[in-house]
Amino acid sequence: VVSALLSRVYFYQHNWDAVESEATTVINSNNYSIVQNLNNVFKSNSNETIWQISLVENGATPASVIGAEFIPAGTTPTFVFRDTLIRSFQANDKRKTDWTKSLMSAGTTYYYPTKYKVRAATGTASGDEYPVMIRLAEVYLNRAEARANTNNLPGAIQDINVVRQRAGVLLLPLTATKDDILKALEHERWAELFTEFSDRWFNLKRLNKVKQMLQITKPTWQGDEKQLWYPVPTQGNQHLNFCPYC
């Protein structure tokens, strides 16, 4: 867990040698593996999970708190994606079919995330889903970017293709350039880690692309610099999975 978190910290510091070292420690431990069935990635027994938060309390069934945040209780949407994400998925991407659903409301189609399948605890129904804090796919993407930035292009391609293969999308060719790889990684983090504790927002900040995205998704932005800081919700119960621009 410590090495996985360090790979994330060093990633945002652009300390690429340290990212690769810590990520390799996790990957080579053989304690974790990429779960091929996307519908099982966020189960409590998922072998891809490096750190998860158990919600068992006094023997009670854990509530699927993240499912409750995202999955609508009825026909009215609660949390929905911006069109930019839905349009960004490549053809045949299993992450769109397995990790999102849609509903129609007032003549408009809305998409919402379904990485977690259970909205609320009922008996033992949600006892197999815990909030996942960090998982192996992110570690592979961390190392891929570290390798690309240290010009180990074959290694970077190998790592990103571990994630792409599971998603069912075209693999990155061995002829890919460094620019190709970095561009693919920017998309891959978005498609793979959406709604996972604001990874998208942090990457937009890291890549200095917040203003560019705000101009697309929020036309009334008009250069309001305070919106470049991490948003703090006004209500305390909204903090858990606040995920701007996911």
Side-chain angles (χ1 to χ4, degrees):
V1 171
V2 171
S3 288
L5 286 172
L6 281 172
S7 80
R8 179 187 289 177
V9 171
Y10 291 137
F11 175 80
Y12 285 107
Q13 294 177 339
H14 292 186
N15 186 345
W16 302 123
D17 289 336
V19 173
E20 177 160 13
S21 176
E22 297 296 345
T24 298
T25 294
V26 176
I27 293 168
N28 287 356
S29 73
N30 295 319
N31 290 325
Y32 313 99
S33 59
I34 295 294
V35 174
Q36 294 303 313
N37 185 339
L38 287 169
N39 291 309
N40 294 333
V41 170
F42 293 87
K43 298 288 188 182
S44 60
N45 63 354
S46 169
N47 205 51
E48 186 170 330
T49 298
I50 298 170
W51 178 28
Q52 64 186 354
I53 304 296
S54 172
L55 299 178
V56 175
E57 183 177 357
N58 298 324
T61 301
S64 184
V65 292
I66 298 183
E69 291 280 334
F70 294 146
I71 300 172
T75 58
T76 302
T78 52
F79 180 100
V80 296
F81 291 128
R82 294 181 181 273
D83 290 343
T84 46
L85 173 63
I86 292 300
R87 293 197 307 265
S88 77
F89 286 109
Q90 299 180 60
N92 303 317
D93 194 328
K94 296 177 183 176
R95 292 170 295 200
K96 181 178 181 181
T97 56
D98 291 353
W99 284 352
T100 74
K101 285 187 177 180
S102 65
L103 58 78
M104 182 75 72
S105 179
T108 301
T109 300
Y110 296 95
Y111 290 86
Y112 60 91
T114 56
K115 287 181 172 180
Y116 296 86
K117 310 300 183 183
V118 181
R119 186 181 185 278
T122 54
T124 60
S126 60
D128 61 350
E129 289 185 356
Y130 299 154
V132 175
M133 309 304 292
I134 190 166
R135 55 191 178 91
L136 189 61
E138 179 190 341
V139 176
Y140 269 108
L141 293 176
N142 293 347
R143 191 172 74 169
E145 190 152 339
R147 287 177 162 181
N149 280 292
T150 54
N151 295 311
N152 177 2
L153 303 189
I157 293 168
Q158 181 181 32
D159 281 347
I160 192 174
N161 279 343
V162 169
V163 178
R164 291 168 75 100
Q165 183 275 328
R166 191 258 301 275
V169 299
L170 291 176
L171 301 184
L172 206 62
L174 295 176
T175 56
T177 66
K178 179 178 178 178
D179 286 343
D180 293 335
I181 296 168
L182 292 176
K183 183 177 180 180
L185 281 166
E186 182 182 353
H187 166 77
E188 209 59 37
R189 290 192 77 91
W190 193 11
E192 180 69 26
L193 301 174
F194 65 87
T195 69
E196 294 188 41
F197 301 99
S198 300
D199 183 87
R200 172 65 171 166
W201 174 258
F202 293 134
N203 269 285
L204 289 173
K205 293 277 288 186
R206 180 178 68 90
L207 298 171
N208 295 315
K209 292 189 175 183
V210 174
K211 291 182 180 180
Q212 175 183 330
M213 184 56 63
L214 282 171
Q215 289 168 352
I216 296 172
T217 61
K218 197 172 184 179
T220 59
W221 174 56
Q222 297 179 343
D224 185 355
E225 294 292 322
K226 71 175 181 292
Q227 296 193 42
L228 301 182
W229 297 97
Y230 188 70
V232 178
T234 57
Q235 298 181 33
N237 64 355
Q238 294 178 347
H239 73 281
L240 181 61
N241 284 289
F242 189 74
C243 183
Y245 312 109
C246 65

